[in-house]
Amino acid sequence: HYSRDFRRLFRAELCHIASATRQALTRGSMEVKETIFIRRPVEDVFDFVSNPSNDTAWRSVVAECVVQSEGPIGVGTTGYRRERFMGREVEFEWRITEYVHPERTAWEFIGGPLQSRGYYTFKNMGNLVGTTLTVNLEPAALGLAGLLMPGMVPGLRRVWQEGFERLKRILETQP
């Protein structure tokens, strides 16, 4: 059995996390935004990143990502993915909600413990012969993961930074 002091400390920490979650949600600070410059034409970056089947190549947290709907990738495309989240694998479905080639694509998670949504923007940098890629993610989760989400945002930023660096290496070394 846990000591009374441990239980009191644990309850206090949970109350602090819940309070931080409420504050973050009301302030809108539950956003992850990362940007990177990739020395590739905007069409190349868009085509690679907007194809969810490529996620396992550059996002270390993605164990599997499968497009389930028929036809070309675009608004309404749906799929399934498995990610490592909080030390375990979680499964959920996703749907593409916006697809403007080669400028922007957006998605939402429609099943599972993650209720996040996000979008990528792609900007042609003209004379620099490259693309600025930005991800905006609004993370949200259900249950205990939802209470812990404010503390997880820095880790999410690190994961996206690492993924973007991997993506940069992949795309800049392709012919």
Side-chain angles (χ1 to χ4, degrees), residues 40 44 48 168-175:
R40 291 293 295 215
D44 292 353
F48 189 87
K168 180 180 179 74
R169 282 191 304 273
I170 290 169
L171 292 178
E172 288 185 351
T173 57
Q174 286 183 348

Side-chain angles (χ1 to χ4, degrees), residues 61 63 82-91 112-113 144-145:
V61 296
R82 253 183 329 113
E83 287 192 10
R84 288 172 286 286
F85 181 72
M86 294 182 59
R88 52 180 251 202
E89 285 194 352
V90 293
E91 301 174 353
L144 181 58

Side-chain angles (χ1 to χ4, degrees), residues 21-120:
T21 300
R22 281 192 299 278
Q23 290 174 3
L25 290 174
T26 57
R27 286 194 318 259
S29 64
M30 293 281 287
E31 180 183 63
V32 174
K33 180 177 182 180
E34 294 299 327
T35 300
I36 193 164
F37 177 77
I38 300 173
R39 293 187 194 287
R40 291 293 295 215
V42 68
E43 292 82 6
D44 292 353
V45 177
F46 183 92
D47 290 343
F48 189 87
V49 171
S50 66
N51 182 345
S53 298
N54 291 329
D55 284 3
T56 57
W58 65 279
R59 300 210 45 234
S60 63
V61 296
V62 179
E64 180 181 22
C65 188
V66 178
V67 174
Q68 294 177 316
S69 53
E70 298 289 324
I73 294 173
V75 173
T77 298
T78 59
Y80 155 89
R81 73 192 294 141
R82 253 183 329 113
E83 287 192 10
R84 288 172 286 286
F85 181 72
M86 294 182 59
R88 52 180 251 202
E89 285 194 352
V90 293
E91 301 174 353
F92 51 91
E93 296 176 354
W94 51 265
R95 172 178 42 234
I96 294 177
T97 58
E98 187 176 354
Y99 191 88
V100 181
H101 190 277
E103 299 169 10
R104 181 179 161 106
T105 185
W107 69 92
E108 63 184 355
F109 299 145
I110 54 176
L114 300 176
Q115 303 295 306
S116 303
R117 62 180 177 204
Y119 61 91
Y120 295 114

